[in-house]
């Protein structure tokens, strides 16, 4: 049995915020004098989309999901598995998948899948596994990411500024895919590496049993340089393993889609792995780090350029930390 992606769409908030404006807001709130263009120069991010006050992660997921259902002619009631696969949730309980499902009018088995910026890839993999196991026939995997709400609006001192800076890469977005049986092609290979000893290197540590209340732990905190070193150390080995097992070199892929934190991170990825830059879909400069929606947005953008038989390599990086690869062949 082959299982593949038969529809994909993405959604962006209407509000666009230039990085220069974000820097001015943080500097003003913090009482700091920052060099002009510092945020943009350090990240390569010129602007990003940010959800409005009354716009939630579920809204972005519903927007993308509605597009997928319309474009594929799928009745919401024909979906029997709905996964909200995202680092962001509307609330601690219930699962945001139920909020999405209520808006769509479907009656599927619904649950959340959460694994930082790899959530969406994990969701696609879980949907594929459920179909292969005979537990589902048609799955809708959605993500809605609003990580900009975890940006620290003001910093108190240099140490706090350093730990908060990676959060200023964030942008908001949503994506959705329909996953079901296909005659040929589909998802050919999935692999991953997890190194949980690095879980404290970065994250949003509030909202659980450790820090259930208070704003302090609702902001992103992390060591961006440490995370970069970790991914560089373990990432190349995973890609080498995939290439050896599948026999696919870079020329086997029409596109190579990579989770993008900042432009310097992406440039370093190209340097370390040797991927031809023309195979990338660069989104970070205009949309920022969209957490788990990053790969969904990229996949939706390149889909019109792909033909039957084209292969796409997706490379996910997530806090925790985890790396994940997926090879998809267009059916």
């Amino acid at each position: 049995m082959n299982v593949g992606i038969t529809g994909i769409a993405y959604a962006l908030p209407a509000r666009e915020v230039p990085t220069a404006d974000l820097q001015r807001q943080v500097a003003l709130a913090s009482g700091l004098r920052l060099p002009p263009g510092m945020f943009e120069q350090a990240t390569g991010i010129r602007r990003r989309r940010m959800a409005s006050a009354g716009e939630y992660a579920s809204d972005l997921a519903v927007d993308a999901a509605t597009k997928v259902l319309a474009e594929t002619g799928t009745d919401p009631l024909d979906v029997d598995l709905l996964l909200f696969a995202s680092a962001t949730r509307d609330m601690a309980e219930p699962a945001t998948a139920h909020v999405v499902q209520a808006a769509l009018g479907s009656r599927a088995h619904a649950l959340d899948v959460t694994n930082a910026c790899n959530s969406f890839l994990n969701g696609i993999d879980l949907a594929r596994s459920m179909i292969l196991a005979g537990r589902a026939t048609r799955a809708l995997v959605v993500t809605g990411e609003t990580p900009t709400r975890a940006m620290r609006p003001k910093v108190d001192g240099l140490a706090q500024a350093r730990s908060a800076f990676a959060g200023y890469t964030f942008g908001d977005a949503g994506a959705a895919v329909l996953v079901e049986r296909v005659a040929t092609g589909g998802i050919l290979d999935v692999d991953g590496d997890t190194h949980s000893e690095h879980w404290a290197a970065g994250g949003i540590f509030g909202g659980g049993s450790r820090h259930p209340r208070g704003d302090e732990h609702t902001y992103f905190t992390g060591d961006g340089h440490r995370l970069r070193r970790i991914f560089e150390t373990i990432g190349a080995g995973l890609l080498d393993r995939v290439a050896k097992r599948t026999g696919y070199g870079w020329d086997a892929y029409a596109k190579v889609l990579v989770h993008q934190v900042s432009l310097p991170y992406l440039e370093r990825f190209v340097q370390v792995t040797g991927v031809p830059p023309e195979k990338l879909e660069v989104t970070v400069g205009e949309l920022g780090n969209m957490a788990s929606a990053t790969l969904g947005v990229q996949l939706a953008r390149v889909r019109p350029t792909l033909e039957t038989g084209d292969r796409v390599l997706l490379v996910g990086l997530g806090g925790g930390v985890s790396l994940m690869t997926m090879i998809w062949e267009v059916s």
Side-chain angles (χ1 to χ4, degrees):
M1 185 195 303
N2 294 41
V3 176
I5 296 168
T6 57
I8 181 159
Y10 72 104
L12 297 174
R15 185 163 67 112
E16 186 176 77
V17 178
T19 299
D21 289 356
L22 174 64
Q23 178 178 320
R24 280 192 291 269
Q25 292 165 12
V26 173
L28 182 62
S30 307
L32 298 174
R33 297 186 65 180
L34 301 176
M38 187 186 82
F39 279 21
E40 182 175 336
Q41 183 177 2
T43 65
I45 299 168
R46 296 177 291 278
R47 57 185 62 86
R48 80 286 312 282
R49 300 295 182 93
M50 294 179 68
S52 61
E55 194 171 22
Y56 308 117
S58 60
D59 294 320
L60 295 171
V62 169
D63 187 352
T66 301
K67 293 172 182 174
V68 163
L69 295 174
E71 290 170 8
T72 60
T74 302
D75 190 311
L77 293 175
D78 289 333
V79 174
D80 54 6
L81 176 64
L82 191 152
L83 301 177
F84 179 81
S86 178
T88 307
R89 299 189 297 276
D90 275 16
M91 61 201 81
E93 185 184 357
T96 305
H98 298 297
V99 181
V100 174
Q101 174 139 281
L104 295 176
S106 53
R107 297 285 296 173
H109 179 47
L111 66 148
D112 286 1
V113 178
T114 301
N115 188 27
C117 296
N118 269 332
S119 298
F120 193 54
L121 273 190
N122 284 140
I124 297 172
D125 185 34
L126 177 58
R128 171 178 175 261
S129 300
M130 292 281 278
I131 293 170
L132 289 172
R135 294 286 308 281
T137 57
R138 183 174 291 110
L140 184 61
V141 183
V142 303
T143 183
E145 292 284 15
T146 56
T148 63
R149 290 185 177 155
M151 290 179 179
R152 192 178 286 275
K154 61 176 291 188
V155 295
D156 298 319
L158 184 58
Q160 193 175 78
R162 285 173 176 162
S163 68
F165 192 79
Y168 300 130
T169 66
F170 289 144
D172 300 336
V177 293
L178 196 65
V179 180
E180 56 190 329
R181 297 179 185 181
V182 292
T184 60
I187 298 169
L188 305 180
D189 187 83
V190 179
D191 204 345
D193 263 339
T194 300
H195 294 259
S196 301
E197 66 272 22
H198 301 296
W199 72 266
I204 303 167
F205 300 115
S209 63
R210 287 175 182 251
H211 306 289
R213 282 169 285 279
D215 286 344
E216 178 59 29
H217 298 286
T218 62
Y219 302 124
F220 181 87
T221 300
D223 185 336
H225 293 295
R226 180 185 171 191
L227 286 168
R228 175 173 167 173
R229 288 194 301 270
I230 293 168
F231 289 131
E232 284 182 9
T233 301
I234 61 182
L238 173 60
L239 292 172
D240 289 344
R241 188 171 75 212
V242 172
K244 184 176 181 179
R245 183 179 60 253
T246 63
Y248 295 154
W250 295 123
D251 59 349
Y253 303 111
K255 288 289 182 179
V256 178
L257 308 183
V258 185
H259 178 65
Q260 297 171 20
V261 176
S262 70
L263 195 58
Y265 268 56
L266 184 61
E267 291 170 345
R268 181 60 178 163
F269 174 84
V270 171
Q271 183 181 16
V272 170
T273 64
V275 58
E278 65 272 13
K279 292 186 180 291
L280 300 174
E281 177 70 10
V282 181
T283 53
V284 68
E286 300 299 320
L287 298 174
N289 173 5
M290 298 173 280
S292 77
T294 299
L295 291 176
V297 170
Q298 291 180 29
L299 191 58
R301 286 191 163 196
V302 303
R303 180 62 185 92
T305 70
L306 301 174
E307 299 178 353
T308 300
D310 281 348
R311 298 187 196 97
V312 177
L313 173 65
L314 297 97
V315 182
L317 313 171
V321 300
S322 67
L323 294 93
M324 191 171 182
T325 60
M326 180 176 290
I327 300 173
W328 173 55
E329 184 177 299
V330 181
S331 303

